Amino acid sequence: QTGKKRKIEAKRLQTGKRKRQERYMAFSENKKKEKNKPFRVAMIGHKRVPSREGGVEVVVWELATRLRDQGFDVECYNRAGYRMKHSDYDRIPGKPGYYRDGVRILITPTVSNGKLNAIIYSFFATVRALFGRYDVIHFHAEGPCLMCWLPKLFGIRVVATIHGLDWQRAKWGHFASRMLQAGEKMAARHADEVIVLSENLQEYFLERYGRETHFIPNGIARPQRMEAKEITERWGLAKDDYIMTLCRIVPEKGLHYLLEAFREIPTDKKLLLAGGPSNAVEYYEEIKALAAQDDRVILAGLVEGRTLSELLSNAYVFALPSDVEGMSISLLEAMSYGNCCLVSDIKESTEVVEDHAAVFRKGDVPDLKKHLEELLDHPEEVEHYRESAADYICGKYNWDDVVERTKELYFG
């Protein structure tokens, strides 16, 4: 009898959940049709968009612009102090605030302290978003998810994307790591839907929190390859002259392994490191010191636009020696340009490349050196990876698919 009651109760709960979802979808559709009001989405968690500060920023902007094209009203909460001038924005007559390509940008105050920056920003952004009449607030990354419980108190639907286990990253101290873990827990407990970028993360949330998540990987679009011009004028680089990487210069990206391995290899090719220092100033200084010991190393800094396209179009090998990743946008981009890639054997990278890239043991400098030497000595192996990279990655990951699957979660 007890078992029968449990089955009846479970069926009742399931039916109730389905009816709530149906009511929510009907409400959303009616609001758009009857009031002629677009579905409103707030994006919270990034530093600034549009930019290449990191993978989060790329994902937010890709989602925001594609949702805009489908008639959504999207607003992105940028953090103050991230190198964007008023002249970088558009002003639309009759509409208050700043816009970029039809997406409203709201500048949110925060502190310059790297360890408190995301927490303070997410507090102010969330409080402001409570008054924005949004249908969904979409939080990105663990730190900002600390505040995802607050909109729930006001009946606002919350979607959270966990881009990676940020608390594992070496740049964070004990306090910051605890706050990031707290943000992860808040997302697991309070978000209506949780998106993760790898199957590894999906298993982690299920085992640790008993939380079902949605695996929606990042997307990529096939780019137009470019001949070397700006990179030749700037650094004297031609096609196949260099090995490169593209990432934030922070400890978990493993750039010190790459520099140590490259230093021991006799080759005329250059090693180009593209990316900014983020909050890891001490590590950036360490990398600068290591780079100064080898005149073949180029610290390119943050690169965008045509310069970045030229670099990705003409590299001999793209290396990503990370200890920790979420889902690397730069790796997707490198493969979309048809590059031969060399990655560490962490699941977040090997899930992406499968057998279409070379793989070395994480943190193992001799093994990294061995694989680099093999690729340098055997151009035919480089060509083998190049032949399949672009078709494989562009077929596997697609931004339009990402947007459609994310929209489903917005509507319940």
Side-chain angles (χ1 to χ4, degrees):
Q1 189 68 20
T2 303
K4 186 177 180 180
K5 285 183 178 179
R6 285 178 179 170
K7 288 181 181 178
I8 293 171
E9 179 64 15
K11 187 176 180 180
R12 185 186 68 79
L13 291 173
Q14 187 176 10
T15 302
K17 182 179 180 181
R18 188 180 69 251
K19 286 182 177 178
R20 286 195 300 273
Q21 289 176 339
E22 289 172 354
R23 286 197 300 270
Y24 185 83
M25 291 183 71
F27 166 77
S28 301
E29 290 300 317
N30 287 337
K31 191 160 63 165
K32 285 192 291 181
K33 291 177 182 177
E34 295 175 11
K35 297 185 180 180
N36 197 28
K37 182 180 178 183
F39 195 92
R40 287 176 54 77
V41 181
M43 298 284 186
I44 295 176
H46 55 281
K47 296 181 180 72
R48 68 177 176 98
V49 290
S51 80
R52 296 192 59 89
E53 295 281 348
V56 174
E57 285 68 36
V58 174
V59 172
V60 167
W61 194 243
E62 291 288 349
L63 285 174
T65 52
R66 282 172 165 77
L67 289 169
R68 171 211 62 201
D69 291 343
Q70 296 187 25
F72 284 66
D73 190 352
V74 186
E75 298 187 347
C76 297
Y77 285 72
N78 279 12
R79 303 184 203 183
Y82 277 87
R83 298 194 304 277
M84 219 163 174
K85 299 174 286 190
H86 290 308
S87 58
D88 294 326
Y89 301 109
D90 306 320
R91 300 302 294 268
I92 299 179
K95 290 188 177 182
Y98 296 96
Y99 288 78
R100 184 68 181 268
D101 299 334
V103 176
R104 190 180 181 196
I105 308 293
L106 296 100
I107 311 301
T108 307
T110 186
V111 295
S112 58
N113 183 301
K115 294 178 174 58
L116 296 175
N117 182 288
I119 298 170
I120 301 299
Y121 149 80
S122 60
F123 170 78
F124 285 116
T126 304
V127 170
R128 186 174 180 181
L130 294 178
F131 302 94
R133 297 183 179 179
Y134 298 110
D135 297 291
V136 169
I137 297 179
H138 191 158
F139 289 88
H140 293 264
E142 289 180 328
C145 282
L146 265 172
M147 297 303 300
C148 71
W149 59 273
L150 186 55
K152 294 301 299 172
L153 292 180
F154 291 81
I156 303 171
R157 187 169 179 79
V158 170
V159 172
T161 296
I162 304 298
H163 293 252
L165 300 181
D166 294 336
W167 55 269
Q168 293 182 347
R169 302 182 191 276
K171 67 178 180 178
W172 302 117
H174 179 71
F175 173 76
S177 293
R178 291 289 296 274
M179 290 298 99
L180 291 168
Q181 285 179 294
E184 171 186 295
K185 188 180 295 184
M186 287 293 178
R189 289 183 177 177
H190 299 289
D192 291 285
E193 307 290 353
V194 177
I195 298 169
V196 295
L197 304 186
S198 72
E199 293 176 353
N200 192 38
L201 267 180
Q202 196 169 34
E203 292 170 6
Y204 170 84
F205 269 83
L206 190 58
E207 290 175 5
R208 180 155 188 171
Y209 302 106
R211 175 67 195 250
E212 294 282 353
T213 58
H214 302 271
F215 170 43
I216 305 179
N218 292 330
I220 195 68
R222 191 182 293 269
Q224 181 68 43
R225 295 174 61 86
M226 294 187 174
E227 293 183 0
K229 182 180 177 183
E230 290 185 7
I231 63 173
T232 304
E233 296 170 356
R234 191 168 175 182
W235 296 296
L237 298 174
K239 183 167 178 56
D240 291 341
D241 273 358
Y242 57 97
I243 296 162
M244 74 167 288
T245 190
L246 170 67
C247 61
R248 288 173 295 114
I249 300 181
V250 291
E252 65 269 15
K253 297 298 183 181
L255 298 180
H256 49 293
Y257 307 138
L258 184 58
L259 285 166
E260 290 169 18
F262 183 77
R263 186 171 55 191
E264 298 176 12
I265 299 173
T267 178
D268 292 332
K269 295 194 187 298
K270 307 280 189 183
L271 174 62
L272 184 139
L273 310 181
S278 189
N279 297 321
V281 178
E282 291 181 8
Y283 182 73
Y284 182 62
E285 292 301 321
E286 177 188 334
I287 293 301
K288 282 173 64 177
L290 284 172
Q293 298 172 17
D294 191 335
D295 58 10
R296 299 171 300 170
V297 177
I298 300 169
L299 286 179
L302 190 65
V303 292
E304 298 179 297
R306 182 184 173 91
T307 303
L308 177 58
S309 294
E310 287 187 18
L311 286 172
L312 290 170
S313 297
N314 296 283
Y316 184 72
V317 168
F318 180 92
L320 192 70
S322 306
D323 288 331
V324 178
E325 278 292 347
M327 182 182 187
S328 172
I329 287 287
S330 64
L331 177 58
L332 296 184
E333 289 179 325
M335 293 189 76
S336 74
Y337 276 88
N339 277 294
C340 167
C341 294
L342 173 61
V343 303
S344 58
D345 62 356
I346 59 175
K347 284 187 178 180
E348 288 79 2
S349 292
T350 57
E351 281 180 15
V352 170
V353 302
E354 296 185 12
D355 60 350
H356 296 270
V359 179
F360 74 96
R361 290 189 297 273
K362 180 190 79 171
D364 189 332
V365 174
D367 194 49
L368 173 54
K369 175 177 176 285
K370 183 187 80 170
H371 279 83
L372 279 173
E373 286 178 324
E374 287 177 357
L375 294 173
L376 288 165
D377 294 340
H378 299 282
E380 70 279 5
E381 188 173 347
V382 172
E383 286 303 320
H384 166 73
Y385 287 122
R386 283 176 171 176
E387 285 173 4
S388 63
D391 287 341
Y392 158 73
I393 209 71
C394 294
K396 185 176 181 182
Y397 301 107
N398 183 280
W399 277 121
D400 292 334
D401 181 55
V402 171
V403 171
E404 289 305 313
R405 294 171 65 188
T406 303
K407 276 168 51 182
E408 290 176 8
L409 302 185
Y410 286 174
F411 291 116

